[in-house]
Amino acid sequence: MSQADSLQVFTPPADFVSQATISGMEAYRALCAEAEKDYAGFWARLAREHLSWKVPFTRVLDESNAPFFRWFDDGVLNVSYNCLDRNIEAGLGDKTAIIFESDDGSVSRISYRELLARVSRFANALKASGVRKGDRVVIYLPMSVEGVVAMQACARIGATHSVVFGGFSAQSLRDRINDAGAVFLITADGQCRGGKALPLKPIADEALAMGGCESIKKVVVWQRTGADCAMQAGRDVFWGDFVAGQSDVCEPEWVEAEHPLFLLYTSGSTGKPKGVQHSTGGYLLHAVLTMKWTFDLKPDDVFWCTADIGWVTGHTYIAYGPLACGGTQIVFEGVPTYPDAGRFWRMVQDHKASIFYTAPTAVRSLIKAAEATPTVHPRNYDLSSLRLLGSVGEPINPAAWMWFYENVGGSRCPIVDTFWQTETGGHMITPLPGVTPLVPGSCTLPFPGIQAAVVDETGTELDWGKGGILVVKRPWPAMIRTIWGDPERFKRSYYPDDFAGQLYLAGDGAMRDAQTGYFTITGRIDDVLNVSGHRMGTMEIESALVSHPLVAEAAVVGRPDDLTGEAICAFVVLKGVRPEGDAAKKVIKDLQDHVGKEIGPIAKPKDIRFGENLPKTRSGKIMRRLLRSLAKGEEVTQDTSTLENPAILDQLKRNVA
Ligand code: PRX
């Protein structure tokens, strides 16, 4: 059966269509046809029209060293110039670039002129301390204007930033600094979330003390909470002192289009997190195009992406995209449930947000909150400023979609369900709001120029209606360039030999609707979990568990969770006797805390179960499919005849917690 038969279809409202930048299906088809006919010409035209180049490119796509594709590679530009200076030159100097709302509700507004001055001062300070083009700078900051300033300042001088989410542990920070060989760390004394001040600098200190971070020459500390923090003489400097006396004029470092703008670490199915390397020109192009086409950003919009700058969404749709389009955006420090779960709706009302982009997990938790406490229901707020909603990070279930549509969007605002990844740089499969009839739960059709397909294990494209593997058939400008320091892993992970190295493997399963060809993402096909829209590798969590002195062996799987999409479920074999009752509960808590400390609180397993062994085949392979059934609480119906130790299943069925 077709999706369209089973679910309601929401056609774009006429008044949206009439003003949309890409208006109507014909316009969308024309763009797709243009790309089909002359792929390089299509992207070249857009790159000329939407970006400002210091030296125009003459080459478009270089496939000679595939899959290490190069785009616009003899062109020269600067991202920070494109985001700041060119808007000021266009007369937007006094326009508000950022409306910042802090955890405690205080609001400040920063104009483009002021933002450029702050970025330039910080950029000059970095240069004065010896940071050069190509140096890596790790940014470990909370959601703040300073975070955006630090990222833009790196871009301005051609330093490659690597932002580490403020919820990651000392160990995770240390590993990222070490892998990137970073020369600078930019952090804060602490962060404010949900009315609490949490430490950050002490975690950074712990990371630096672990060894392996010898490349770090300086640590800049933004004083956010005012907490006392130890400052190491000669290494650590407060932000205020660092920028003191610096000029607010800084000539951008003009870099070639392929210059690495940033690294962002993300989880894979094996090994340590990988440093996804993004380019300057191609990346920025996609950020701009998706802002204009997916979000239909217009000069009067107030755009709000609720992601953290520690994730790719916060890179493309906070630090770069909105600014490169001269937009006004909200940057929010806090959490959706403080002081109450009406926070998002109150902020939309107060700042007259017109485009609101968030994650399904946030929507689901706010549905639950609104059901429990009617005063925080969105109907209590004036949300009439909204004209477009967006979703990202995980599949949005149709029930959450409908609630979002009706209660937040007033049944008036299209929802763009944007499928993409850290590696893709920007939206890949997404509705365009003035074009695409919407079907809840489907990310619909590829962004113009993106050649997505569903294939079988041999790489053969499947008929619509059949589930398979999501791939992208042609390189696109914003794609990952390599994995930092590990080009072989890049090839293996994304251009595997199974597909003759010709197809980009997203790592997700997908199905196209039999009639409309709409894509639905069916979830990861590798050992990557998606918890509240955050990617976690099962191996990473297993390694963290086995690093605990009590643990002999561990296997981690996901199970569906109403709130977080997936929940982490760990099966653990302890070295000593298997604990029962309260003793087991205590060990569970210890192990959860241990994983929190090793990786970060987001990686804590929700369920932990103990067995004397794990279900293994006679050849010693853990049968993860069985574990997935157990985690879900399903009866095990799979064939267990190859199991070495069937009795173990009974032990693992029981959930102590
Ligand atoms: O599984 C897909 C899921 O999130 C993965 C990418 O995670 P990450 O690199 O952390 O980037 C998240 C923000 C772009 C994908 O492989 N995913 C992301 N967006 C969607 C999605 N799954 C379904 N629908 C989406 N809209």
Side-chain angles (χ1 to χ4, degrees):
M1 190 170 62
S2 159
Q3 285 161 342
D5 297 335
S6 58
L7 288 166
Q8 228 177 320
V9 177
F10 297 81
T11 44
D15 53 349
F16 200 110
V17 178
S18 62
Q19 61 78 58
T21 300
I22 309 297
S23 175
M25 193 51 93
E26 284 313 303
Y28 168 75
R29 292 221 176 95
L31 286 167
C32 296
E34 182 190 345
E36 193 75 43
K37 196 159 158 252
D38 175 9
Y39 194 66
F42 171 79
W43 291 113
R45 173 177 75 77
L46 296 168
R48 287 191 187 104
E49 284 173 10
H50 293 272
L51 300 183
S52 297
W53 297 86
K54 182 75 173 172
V55 179
F57 57 89
T58 63
R59 293 195 294 262
V60 183
L61 169 59
D62 176 358
E63 301 185 82
S64 60
N65 187 28
F68 301 93
F69 302 104
R70 297 170 67 80
W71 285 89
F72 320 118
D73 73 348
D74 61 345
V76 171
L77 76 169
N78 179 279
V79 164
S80 161
Y81 173 84
N82 272 270
C83 292
L84 303 171
D85 312 55
R86 79 161 167 170
N87 291 318
I88 296 165
E89 287 161 18
L92 301 181
D94 295 325
K95 183 173 177 174
T96 300
I98 295 176
I99 302 168
F100 177 71
E101 182 162 320
S102 65
D103 189 56
D104 68 10
S106 58
V107 175
S108 49
R109 288 188 161 70
I110 293 96
S111 68
Y112 272 91
R113 201 185 315 286
E114 171 64 12
L115 187 59
L116 173 60
R118 288 173 68 170
V119 167
S120 297
R121 271 198 295 276
F122 199 77
N124 280 327
L126 287 172
K127 276 209 293 199
S129 317
V131 180
R132 296 280 169 266
K133 177 184 170 192
D135 284 345
R136 274 81 58 214
V137 172
V138 166
I139 298 174
Y140 186 57
L141 282 172
M143 281 300 290
S144 52
V145 174
E146 283 67 17
V148 176
V149 167
M151 292 165 82
Q152 285 279 344
C154 287
R156 196 160 188 90
I157 65 168
T160 299
H161 61 67
S162 181
V163 182
V164 177
F165 173 58
F168 275 125
S169 66
Q171 182 71 49
S172 296
L173 177 61
R174 180 255 167 225
D175 291 347
R176 285 157 175 77
I177 290 172
N178 175 264
D179 190 80
V183 298
F184 248 65
L185 173 64
I186 302 166
T187 186
D189 50 4
Q191 53 182 329
C192 297
R193 288 173 72 79
K196 289 196 214 79
L198 309 166
L200 218 46
K201 175 66 163 51
I203 302 175
D205 285 336
E206 201 186 324
L208 296 176
M210 280 176 177
C213 298
E214 292 71 24
S215 55
I216 293 286
K217 298 196 189 97
K218 237 183 191 22
V219 180
V220 181
V221 183
W222 172 49
Q223 288 171 284
R224 169 61 188 101
T225 61
D228 272 344
C229 58
M231 296 291 279
Q232 186 177 307
R235 187 194 71 182
D236 301 353
V237 54
F238 286 122
W239 182 295
D241 298 329
F242 185 60
V243 298
Q246 292 297 337
S247 160
D248 57 12
V249 177
C250 175
E251 171 68 11
E253 176 85 29
W254 303 103
V255 301
E256 53 289 10
E258 281 297 321
H259 181 70
L261 177 65
F262 66 87
L263 311 179
L264 185 58
Y265 285 81
T266 191
S267 296
S269 42
T270 55
K272 286 201 178 266
K274 40 197 180 188
V276 171
Q277 180 181 320
H278 276 289
S279 71
T280 294
Y283 171 79
L284 189 65
L285 175 62
H286 207 65
V288 169
L289 285 180
T290 50
M291 284 304 304
K292 290 181 178 170
W293 294 359
T294 313
F295 291 128
D296 195 51
L297 189 81
K298 299 282 166 53
D300 293 336
D301 276 313
V302 176
F303 178 80
W304 185 15
C305 165
T306 68
D308 191 284
I309 50 166
W311 310 113
V312 74
T313 309
H315 283 57
T316 309
Y317 301 110
I318 295 176
Y320 294 115
L323 298 175
C325 296
T328 295
Q329 69 172 323
I330 297 169
V331 173
F332 176 43
E333 178 182 44
V335 298
T337 48
Y338 176 80
D340 60 43
R343 183 71 183 261
F344 276 3
W345 321 133
R346 195 174 312 113
M347 283 181 62
V348 166
Q349 167 180 282
D350 290 353
H351 304 305
K352 299 196 167 37
S354 56
I355 305 172
F356 180 65
Y357 189 37
T358 195
T361 188
V363 174
R364 287 192 298 266
S365 74
L366 296 176
I367 294 174
K368 206 171 151 197
E371 279 166 359
T373 316
T375 50
V376 299
H377 193 284
R379 67 172 161 257
N380 302 306
Y381 302 85
D382 177 5
L383 306 181
S384 59
S385 57
L386 288 172
R387 65 185 198 94
L388 178 61
L389 303 176
S391 169
V392 60
E394 51 177 320
I396 180 163
N397 48 308
W401 194 103
M402 281 308 304
W403 187 91
F404 196 31
Y405 183 77
E406 288 171 352
N407 296 289
V408 181
S411 302
R412 165 188 86 246
C413 307
I415 300 179
V416 286
D417 175 359
T418 60
F419 168 82
W420 60 295
Q421 310 176 293
T422 304
E423 294 87 343
T424 69
H427 306 152
M428 296 299 278
I429 308 181
T430 177
L432 302 186
V435 170
T436 324
L438 305 173
V439 174
S442 168
C443 53
T444 75
L445 297 170
F447 191 79
I450 300 299
Q451 304 197 348
V454 180
V455 301
D456 66 13
E457 291 77 31
T458 66
T460 308
E461 202 158 340
L462 291 169
D463 290 337
W464 293 1
K466 291 205 176 116
I469 300 164
L470 180 67
V471 296
V472 185
K473 294 195 282 188
R474 300 218 58 185
W476 65 100
M479 68 187 300
I480 174 177
R481 292 306 193 261
T482 188
I483 291 173
W484 181 256
D486 202 346
E488 281 308 315
R489 189 173 176 199
F490 165 74
K491 275 206 224 174
R492 229 177 23 249
S493 309
Y494 303 107
Y495 283 91
D497 291 339
D498 319 16
F499 301 150
Q502 294 298 308
L503 300 172
Y504 169 84
L505 178 70
D508 283 288
M511 173 147 105
R512 301 193 69 167
D513 179 73
Q515 277 161 34
T516 57
Y518 276 16
F519 286 79
T520 295
I521 305 299
T522 51
R524 298 288 304 193
I525 52 172
D526 51 11
D527 290 321
V528 170
L529 307 182
N530 190 323
V531 182
S532 299
H534 299 144
R535 244 165 97 165
M536 305 295 328
T538 49
M539 269 237 337
E540 273 173 78
I541 306 169
E542 288 164 7
S543 311
L545 283 166
V546 296
S547 73
H548 190 281
L550 287 179
V551 177
E553 204 179 3
V556 166
V557 297
R559 66 158 171 80
D561 183 276
D562 285 348
L563 220 53
T564 56
E566 270 190 301
I568 302 168
C569 188
F571 295 87
V572 173
V573 182
L574 295 176
K575 285 176 184 158
V577 279
R578 193 154 49 93
E580 304 265 0
D582 285 346
K585 282 186 188 153
K586 167 148 193 326
V587 180
I588 288 173
K589 170 98 182 33
D590 284 353
L591 293 182
Q592 286 169 327
D593 290 346
H594 179 71
V595 174
K597 208 158 164 17
E598 285 292 303
I599 304 176
I602 50 171
K604 284 186 184 180
K606 190 159 178 182
D607 304 341
I608 296 184
R609 301 187 193 184
F610 301 113
E612 271 148 30
N613 207 331
L614 296 171
K616 289 183 188 151
T617 60
R618 292 201 178 92
S619 58
K621 204 166 159 358
I622 297 170
M623 292 184 73
R624 285 173 187 275
R625 272 185 305 118
L626 283 182
L627 292 178
R628 276 187 211 112
S629 299
L630 289 176
K632 275 190 215 163
E634 287 174 357
E635 268 315 305
V636 173
T637 53
Q638 293 104 324
D639 177 14
T640 52
S641 58
T642 55
L643 210 57
E644 168 84 51
N645 47 359
I648 231 64
L649 294 182
D650 275 337
Q651 285 178 10
L652 295 173
K653 260 182 204 157
R654 278 180 296 142
N655 197 347
V656 196

